[in-house]
Amino acid sequence: METHLSRYSNKAIDIQSSYNGHTRNGSDDLFPNYLNGLYNNSPTNQCVIDDLTGYIVAQGLVSDNPKDEPKIKHFLNKQFLNELERYRKIQNTSCILIQRNSLFRIIKIEVINPAQIRVGQMKEGIIHSFKYKKTWDGQVNSSYRQEITIPSYDKYSPQSLIYWYDSGTFDLPYGRPSYISGTDAIEFEIGLYMGDNHGAQNGMTPSAIITMPASGDDDKDEKAVDAINSNLSGIANKGKTATIFTKAGETTPPTVTLLNDNSKESKKVNYEVAEAGILKAWRIPSPTLISGMNIKPTGFGDAEAEMQWALNTLKSKIIEPNRSDLIDILKPLFLELEITGNVSFIDETERNVIVQEEVSNEIVNDNLKNLTGKQFQGIERIVRKF
């Protein structure tokens, strides 16, 4: 049995086919564009990805070696990490472009949209180069499709690419996201919003099909339709008739009342079904962890107890493993930038403690500056004594 992932079948996103010097990403070579579209068009999927990115990156990286901090702040700051992790969540792929000067010292590090990268030369399963285009969509202006070859990571190259991916159960050199089982739910939600938007713009749906005999005069028939439309009340109903003409002598079909379940409760159920599928695909332990969810948490009588359980579960199953993955991805940069300390992610509470300590130290230092010579000598004698 062939399983379809909304627009794509398993085969369509698992096949390895070469074309014009690179390996296609999906049967149409545009699967990453599809994944970006799921992020951009589904409110729930976007909330999950953005919130998970926030949980994982938190306040960014910190090193126990103070000399590392300026390098982290300049090259690997919170903005860089957020962009890196957001794309990693969408695509399960990371692309980091490193640029170096004539002495092969790093001068710039930037995150590249994985949708712009294709695997180029491969030998015995090892990737040696990549192809870059602003877009791989053949229908877009050719000026955006100029191709650049980028070598895989090499610290003695003017520019090179750190490339990480997790293809899951698929055998190809591209990432396949963990939420792939939820693509139908994501598309379902996108369809719900599109349907409601279309309905709001066009007065929802007609309530009935009106049938009337054709006069044989097209102009007369058109005026008859206009007369019906002009007599309809309310802006939402204006122009919302379906008219069928029958020839003289033909049996006129009855007026058909259209059943349309646009009730508030029905819509709510549909949106909640979509949300539940998306959250399940992402392994979110409780909807309380994600912004703006319609579905309510269940299974706990105490909301605070559920929130604490959900946070603990999220931390052990999602936050910490993903932080470990990010540290591993960045290790070549730590070595090249000579970041020698123990690097880790820091949460909001930990950052507040550090800031408070820094402020306290500044206050102490300012007080010392105001001491007279004799006062300072007195402090030195006390220190030596103890």
Side-chain angles (χ1 to χ4, degrees), residues 105-376:
R105 303 286 293 181
I106 293 179
I107 56 174
K108 187 177 181 180
I109 300 174
E110 62 179 311
V111 177
I112 301 296
N113 182 349
Q116 298 173 324
I117 294 293
R118 296 293 183 273
V119 171
Q121 186 182 21
M122 288 183 66
K123 290 182 179 180
E124 298 179 354
I126 298 174
I127 303 171
H128 292 274
S129 66
F130 302 89
K131 302 288 186 179
Y132 167 88
K133 289 183 183 180
K134 285 186 178 180
T135 178
W136 291 83
D137 188 344
Q139 298 183 14
V140 176
N141 190 300
S142 60
S143 63
Y144 292 96
R145 292 186 283 113
Q146 295 179 357
E147 187 175 291
I148 300 173
T149 299
I150 304 173
S152 59
Y153 179 71
D154 178 3
K155 63 181 181 179
Y156 297 111
S157 175
Q159 69 173 9
S160 61
L161 192 78
I162 289 180
Y163 183 74
W164 176 95
Y165 70 95
D166 183 353
S167 59
T169 60
F170 299 90
D171 182 22
L172 75 172
Y174 294 109
R176 293 295 179 254
S178 59
Y179 64 84
I180 205 163
S181 62
T183 52
D184 282 318
I186 296 169
E187 285 199 11
F188 179 45
E189 182 184 72
I190 294 171
L192 289 172
Y193 278 101
M194 288 178 66
D196 278 351
N197 178 59
H198 183 271
Q201 296 292 331
N202 295 283
M204 305 312 289
T205 60
S207 58
I209 297 176
I210 301 172
T211 61
M212 56 191 297
S215 66
D217 185 335
D218 291 342
D219 290 337
K220 187 177 179 179
D221 291 339
E222 187 176 346
K223 288 180 180 179
V225 174
D226 290 340
I228 295 172
N229 290 341
S230 63
N231 287 320
L232 290 172
S233 61
I235 189 171
N237 287 323
K238 187 175 181 181
K240 296 300 169 292
T241 59
T243 307
I244 299 174
F245 291 100
T246 59
K247 293 180 180 180
E250 290 184 345
T251 303
T252 302
T255 300
V256 180
T257 301
L258 302 181
L259 298 177
N260 180 38
D261 190 4
N262 274 322
S263 66
K264 183 178 180 181
E265 188 60 34
S266 174
K267 288 182 180 180
K268 181 182 177 183
V269 170
N270 285 337
Y271 279 109
E272 288 182 354
V273 167
E275 284 183 4
I278 297 169
L279 293 178
K280 188 179 293 184
W282 277 106
R283 316 296 193 268
I284 302 300
S286 170
T288 59
L289 298 171
I290 305 299
S291 307
M293 295 297 100
N294 290 315
I295 55 178
K296 304 301 179 188
T298 57
F300 281 79
D302 186 346
E304 186 177 348
E306 175 173 358
M307 187 66 175
Q308 190 58 55
W309 169 83
L311 281 171
N312 291 339
T313 304
L314 188 77
K315 186 172 183 179
S316 63
K317 292 187 176 182
I318 296 178
I319 296 176
E320 293 303 331
N322 277 274
R323 286 180 172 180
S324 179
D325 288 342
L326 277 175
I327 293 292
D328 287 341
I329 292 169
L330 296 172
K331 276 182 179 178
L333 293 176
F334 294 159
L335 290 173
E336 195 170 348
L337 291 170
E338 297 179 345
I339 294 174
T340 58
N342 181 34
V343 179
S344 60
F345 284 90
I346 185 168
D347 292 315
E348 182 69 35
T349 53
E350 295 170 308
R351 174 70 70 185
N352 290 337
V353 170
I354 291 174
V355 170
Q356 290 173 1
E357 289 177 350
E358 289 175 349
V359 170
S360 299
N361 290 335
E362 288 177 3
I363 294 173
V364 172
N365 290 338
D366 287 340
N367 290 334
L368 290 174
K369 290 177 183 177
N370 296 327
L371 293 175
T372 64
K374 288 186 177 180
Q375 289 173 327
F376 195 80

